[in-house]
Amino acid sequence: MTSLFTLDELQDTEVDLLSELRLPDDLPASDLPLTLNSQVEYFIKQFQGRSKASFARWLSRSTRYLPMMKEVLRKEGLPEDLVYVAMIESGFVLHARSVASAVGPWQFMPATGRRYSLRIDQWIDERRDPVKATMAAAMYLKDLSAMFNGDWYLATAGYNAGENKIFRAIDKYNTSDFWELTKGSYLKRETKDYVPKLLAAAIVAKDPARYGFEDVVSIPQIEHDTVTLPGRTDLELVARLTGTTYQSIRQLNPALRHWTTPPNYPNFELRIPKGTKARFEVAYAEIPEQERYSEKNLYTRYTASRKDNLRSVARRFNISTGELSELNGLGRRERVAGKTLIVPVRQSVDFASEGKQAQKRAEIRYYTVRKGDTLTTLARRFKVSTKLLASWNNLKGKMVLAPGKKLIVARAKSESSTRA
């Protein structure tokens, strides 16, 4: 997805040796199964050594988000200590983005985010919303737990690599023991390290003083009110009516990508400063609907080719050479080949249509294999082809279905396995 921005938004973005360790014999209480082996010890030492400053920042930020995240997980019947998945994924940075374009505190890829009902388009990216992203992560983790029969080591490894990668590793090495899977060469180092890093983070974070983090500064939770908006609304207007700043409203609503709430999002819930709800609602009701939102020009970036010059690029984007040179601080005769330029959106795009189609969470159904079941009989029973059933479950050839194995027997046609 091409990144779009206004000029105001562009200016905003342009103005963040291992120590010796003596490990305790006992582990903190946890609703995740904790293991202390050489792989986990390695990351505990790393968090105390060369990564100590980073881990301290993770601990500080965690105090803002842990209560809410734990509550969401608890309501979904999941272990609360799965919050440490968000810690090792992003360090609780809401705007975190990986090189693979995973985004947000739970590092969802676009396809997986949409699978779990997160809206992602030019106006909003709900992967950055701490509450909605946590709810989506809870749903995904619940599905992974069901796929791997409640084995949280395999489930969280699947969160990192994609469930199909873990299924293939299990079939390749004929074991569902995560630690045995790490002995082979099939899984990437990142996935082999993922579970021990998660366990190490949980162990240290649950008892930080014991591991040398006595003076971690707690960041308080952000208190806010929530208002429901019937249609698109400028954030500058919201800031004015609540007596705060535009940037404060943006910080309270990290999922918003531009100056306004998204189109085609009825009853959008916007966070505003605590104690300003009544004042806002009275003032907002007095403003005519057509004055609550203003259009602005959107821009993107274009890398000029070797044959491009200022005039050809200007013509391409229906702009004068003078406007183009002024936008980019260029001289009228300056060479542009190879340069990345700021240009207006090339053609008229109906951005207001984005989000119109409801995003439904994919339905995934599971079946526990019984004695006598075969791929053919199950395919007939659940009205799918044997080829599709085999693909969903990474079954190759004429594999014997072991009783007790959990199979996916139904899922949305558009579904594909992607990393979170």
Side-chain angles (χ1 to χ4, degrees):
M1 179 170 63
T2 302
S3 177
L4 303 182
F5 47 83
T6 69
L7 294 183
D8 288 340
E9 290 165 347
L10 179 65
Q11 291 172 0
D12 288 343
T13 59
E14 291 179 348
V15 252
D16 178 79
L17 297 168
L18 301 180
S19 61
E20 291 297 323
L21 170 67
R22 184 175 180 180
L23 294 170
D25 296 328
D26 58 322
L27 294 173
S30 174
D31 51 9
L32 276 179
L34 299 181
T35 297
L36 190 61
N37 57 24
S38 60
Q39 289 152 283
V40 177
E41 289 177 7
Y42 172 83
F43 284 103
I44 293 177
K45 290 178 180 177
Q46 185 179 90
F47 293 150
Q48 289 184 296
R50 63 174 179 264
S51 298
K52 187 170 184 177
S54 295
F55 198 82
R57 287 193 294 271
W58 295 1
L59 287 173
S60 286
R61 282 193 292 266
S62 74
T63 59
R64 170 164 288 176
Y65 301 109
L66 283 185
M68 175 275 293
M69 290 181 172
K70 285 187 175 184
E71 181 180 3
V72 171
L73 294 168
R74 182 171 61 252
K75 285 182 177 178
E76 294 299 328
L78 297 170
E80 292 181 17
D81 286 344
L82 287 171
V83 292
Y84 299 111
V85 168
M87 174 177 269
I88 66 169
E89 284 283 351
S90 69
F92 299 106
V93 175
L94 302 186
H95 291 267
R97 175 182 288 273
S98 74
V99 292
S101 295
V103 167
W106 293 90
Q107 288 291 278
F108 275 105
M109 293 290 283
T112 315
R114 292 188 178 102
R115 188 201 306 182
Y116 291 94
S117 302
L118 297 178
R119 179 169 161 175
I120 305 165
D121 58 36
Q122 285 293 350
W123 299 103
I124 190 168
D125 189 341
E126 292 182 332
R127 293 175 295 176
R128 302 188 306 203
D129 184 295
V131 177
K132 291 180 180 178
T134 300
M135 292 172 67
M139 294 299 99
Y140 186 31
L141 288 163
K142 184 180 287 189
D143 283 343
L144 287 166
S145 175
M147 292 179 202
F148 295 105
N149 299 308
D151 187 318
W152 283 113
Y153 293 177
L154 296 177
T156 51
Y159 190 94
N160 173 257
E163 57 266 30
N164 286 342
K165 185 75 172 181
I166 306 304
F167 279 130
R168 286 193 289 269
I170 290 171
D171 289 340
K172 181 178 180 65
Y173 297 115
N174 195 30
T175 179
S176 58
D177 184 312
F178 172 78
W179 305 108
E180 288 298 316
L181 296 178
T182 64
K183 295 177 181 178
S185 59
Y186 179 70
L187 294 179
K188 292 182 179 179
R189 172 54 56 190
E190 176 189 341
T191 304
K192 292 179 181 181
D193 288 344
Y194 194 82
V195 173
K197 188 176 183 180
L198 170 63
L199 299 179
I203 290 168
V204 176
K206 290 174 74 66
D207 195 1
R210 190 175 195 176
Y211 293 89
F213 294 92
E214 298 92 350
D215 302 319
V216 173
V217 177
S218 295
I219 299 178
Q221 297 179 61
I222 298 177
E223 293 190 329
H224 60 81
D225 289 336
T226 301
V227 291
T228 302
L229 302 180
R232 297 183 75 180
T233 303
D234 284 357
L235 302 188
E236 288 279 9
L237 173 63
V238 176
R240 178 163 57 84
L241 298 184
T242 55
T244 188
T245 64
Y246 170 79
Q247 285 302 327
S248 294
I249 301 298
R250 288 296 301 266
Q251 289 167 8
L252 284 171
N253 298 274
L256 296 180
R257 304 188 67 175
H258 295 299
W259 72 95
T260 175
T261 59
N264 303 309
Y265 202 130
N267 299 319
F268 179 79
E269 293 186 344
L270 185 77
R271 301 183 185 107
I272 59 176
K274 186 75 172 175
T276 64
K277 181 173 182 176
R279 164 186 174 181
F280 171 82
E281 289 180 334
V282 170
Y284 185 78
E286 295 176 353
I287 296 177
E289 183 178 345
Q290 66 272 18
E291 295 179 16
R292 295 171 180 170
Y293 168 71
S294 58
E295 289 287 356
K296 292 187 180 183
N297 294 325
L298 287 171
Y299 296 81
T300 188
R301 288 183 172 86
Y302 170 75
T303 301
S305 70
R306 287 184 300 173
K307 296 181 180 180
D308 277 327
N309 55 45
L310 204 60
R311 179 176 295 178
S312 66
V313 175
R315 189 183 307 118
R316 180 187 184 99
F317 290 95
N318 195 27
I319 186 175
S320 71
T321 54
E323 289 175 295
L324 182 61
S325 59
E326 185 177 349
L327 265 176
N328 293 276
L330 301 173
R332 294 284 184 120
R333 298 185 180 183
E334 192 165 339
R335 293 174 58 87
V336 298
K339 292 185 178 180
T340 299
L341 306 175
I342 297 170
V343 295
V345 173
R346 180 178 177 183
Q347 48 190 301
S348 177
V349 179
D350 184 13
F351 292 116
S353 68
E354 288 193 273
K356 273 191 175 179
Q357 301 210 351
Q359 298 175 10
K360 295 182 180 178
R361 182 183 164 212
E363 181 184 0
I364 302 178
R365 292 176 55 201
Y366 303 94
Y367 172 79
T368 301
V369 174
R370 299 173 183 172
K371 186 176 182 180
D373 283 336
T374 66
L375 201 60
T376 302
T377 61
L378 291 180
R380 189 180 302 121
R381 175 175 176 178
F382 293 101
K383 299 180 182 180
V384 295
S385 69
T386 54
K387 183 177 181 180
L388 190 57
L389 192 59
S391 173
W392 285 343
N393 295 280
N394 300 293
L395 302 175
K396 297 178 182 178
K398 297 183 178 181
M399 291 183 60
V400 176
L401 300 181
K405 181 179 179 67
K406 192 160 287 188
L407 298 179
I408 298 172
V409 293
R411 71 192 303 175
K413 290 182 181 179
S414 62
E415 276 300 289
S416 60
S417 176
T418 55
R419 183 203 181 284

